[in-house]
Amino acid sequence: MTDQRLRELFQDLAETLPEGHSHADELWRRRTSGRARRRWTALAVLAVAAVVVVGITAFPQEVERGTVHTPGVSPTPSAPSRPVMDRAPASADEAALPPLSAGLPERWADLPVVDSASGPVLALAAFGDGRIYMMKAGGRVPLDVKLAESTDAAGNGGTPLKPNALAPDGTRAAFPQKDEVVVVDLVIGQARRYPVPGFNEVVLWRGEQLLVEQEAANYLLDLGTGQAERQPYKGFTGVAGYRDLRIVSPEAGGWTVLRERGAGEVRLDVQNVTNEGSMPVGVLGNHGWQRDDLVARSALAHPEVAQGADVVVVADIATGRVVRTLLLPWGPSGATRCGKSGCPVRGWIGHDTVIVESGKRLLGWNVDTGALSRVAVLPESVTAYSLRPG
């Protein structure tokens, strides 16, 4: 209601009163008449509305610091919706799942050893003979590079081939070693050694850089300059993928968070999804994997979700909201399905399918439809592998 319209209503009402009369007395006398009563009522409502609007706009009520004003009636907040939960079949029933055409050979044991093969490197695999092979559609080709075991500060040795060794384009591979990182050009077979001090145990590709993780320190290694910059954090929290992302879970209590360089942190909403509302801490072979605006990682399931099961979580990076989960139940005897840290995520195929390691089988989980499929069977002789992100 504008000031001009209010003035017109006041003028219209005044014209109904005889000249020389007190406006107040006349209004009171004629308030019971039909026409004046209608006009008076309309005027009163409009005037009150105008006063309220003007009062709010021009004279806001001062609120004392530290006080909370609660309305008399407030709507009951709705409970947060649980993410969609899919359920994998028992390990014994995985073979009945439909196959997924992912470019990877389904049965790695059937691939012959060859001196060379055309086509892209689909994966790297360490076999029981102690050699690392480039897995291609036409066979597996031995990788000719001298590598030592990846040793930690306590002297424990392990294979230098880590789940994140293969570069996203499949043309290079990185291997952590004590006091250095070895990067191999898989096209020409040339290796370059970069000095990085300490017991390096994990490498994560960051374009033309590598995040090198160890228990005592983390370094960001520039492959162009060879410079290794020490990071303000340490341990094994990095996420494989294209963004500089970490998943940080406190060892006791507190919230699990997603931290991204230059973008701060958000809380990862896994309080009632994973065991103790956290992710495994200090587990070298269980990293998160990022694709687009999503991140996937596995953990033990919360007891309220299932007694005796692993769970894979897919969350929105910007908000930390869990959008979908995959439950992998243990066997009837209570034996874990994949070990103490859960069934690890091993990468993505395309923009919608997460690769999950379930025992010696790789499963494809479509996070749009929830459909499960079988990707590959890993022979007992494979001790480590790294998939090329699809």
Side-chain angles (χ1 to χ4, degrees):
M1 180 64 65
T2 64
D3 293 344
Q4 178 62 31
R5 181 56 182 153
L6 286 174
R7 282 194 293 272
E8 291 174 357
L9 287 172
F10 274 115
Q11 182 63 33
D12 190 22
L13 183 60
E15 288 175 358
T16 66
L17 302 177
E19 254 184 59
H21 281 231
S22 165
H23 289 191
D25 292 342
E26 186 65 16
L27 282 173
W28 179 258
R29 184 180 65 79
R30 296 177 59 183
R31 66 184 178 88
T32 55
S33 64
R35 181 181 178 187
R37 184 176 183 179
R38 286 192 300 271
R39 288 181 175 176
W40 176 263
T41 302
L43 178 61
V45 170
L46 291 169
V48 169
V51 170
V52 170
V53 171
V54 172
I56 293 174
T57 305
F59 308 105
Q61 183 179 358
E62 186 176 348
V63 179
E64 184 181 354
R65 290 181 181 271
T67 61
V68 178
H69 292 266
T70 306
V73 178
S74 59
T76 303
S78 57
S81 58
R82 281 185 173 272
V84 177
M85 177 168 286
D86 303 311
R87 188 182 182 92
S91 298
D93 299 327
E94 290 175 346
L97 293 171
L100 177 67
S101 177
L104 283 170
E106 184 176 354
R107 295 192 172 274
W108 290 14
D110 296 342
L111 281 178
V113 178
V114 296
D115 292 332
S116 64
S118 60
V121 177
L122 304 174
L124 296 175
F127 280 71
D129 59 4
R131 304 198 68 177
I132 296 175
Y133 294 84
M134 295 181 286
M135 309 293 286
K136 297 189 174 186
R140 51 187 171 107
V141 182
L143 184 62
D144 187 17
V145 60
K146 185 178 180 180
L147 297 169
E149 287 191 334
S150 177
T151 308
D152 63 17
N156 301 310
T159 172
L161 177 59
K162 305 301 180 183
N164 319 296
L166 190 58
D169 62 2
T171 62
R172 291 177 293 178
F175 304 95
Q177 304 274 270
K178 183 180 181 298
D179 295 326
E180 67 177 4
V181 173
V182 180
V183 177
V184 181
D185 187 318
L186 301 178
V187 179
I188 62 176
Q190 183 178 354
R192 180 177 175 183
R193 297 176 182 270
Y194 295 86
V196 181
F199 294 92
N200 305 301
E201 297 185 68
V202 173
V203 287
L204 298 168
W205 286 90
R206 297 286 186 260
E208 288 303 309
Q209 296 178 316
L210 282 172
L211 178 62
V212 184
E213 294 184 334
Q214 52 181 262
E215 189 174 355
N218 282 186
Y219 291 90
L220 195 60
L221 173 63
D222 189 304
L223 299 180
T225 65
Q227 296 297 312
E229 178 186 354
R230 186 163 181 164
Q231 301 301 289
Y233 47 83
K234 60 183 180 179
F236 311 103
T237 59
V239 171
Y242 300 92
R243 294 161 64 166
D244 194 357
L245 186 70
R246 295 187 300 132
I247 299 177
V248 182
S249 283
E251 293 190 14
W255 296 101
T256 297
V257 296
L258 289 168
R259 290 178 182 161
E260 184 170 11
R261 180 189 292 267
E265 72 176 34
V266 296
R267 191 178 79 189
L268 184 58
D269 248 344
V270 292
Q271 283 299 106
N272 297 314
V273 178
T274 65
N275 187 35
E276 298 180 355
S278 64
M279 289 292 179
V281 176
V283 180
L284 277 68
N286 190 354
H287 280 271
W289 285 79
Q290 170 262 330
R291 174 57 65 95
D292 300 329
D293 57 352
L294 299 177
V295 62
R297 196 177 174 200
S298 68
L300 300 181
H302 194 282
E304 292 183 1
V305 173
Q307 290 289 341
D310 300 317
V311 64
V312 179
V313 171
V314 173
D316 184 280
I317 294 173
T319 64
R321 181 179 65 90
V322 175
V323 296
R324 201 165 192 127
T325 59
L326 173 65
L327 199 66
L328 297 110
W330 297 349
S333 63
T336 59
R337 185 166 181 154
C338 303
K340 64 179 182 180
S341 60
C343 297
V345 173
R346 291 304 188 214
W348 291 73
I349 292 179
H351 298 273
D352 55 11
T353 302
V354 177
I355 304 301
V356 181
E357 179 186 302
S358 175
K360 283 295 181 179
R361 188 183 297 275
L362 299 181
L363 304 179
W365 172 43
N366 189 301
V367 297
D368 289 336
T369 65
L372 280 171
S373 53
R374 65 178 196 270
V375 175
V377 177
L378 306 177
E380 292 291 335
S381 57
V382 170
T383 59
Y385 66 94
S386 175
L387 304 178
R388 176 183 174 182

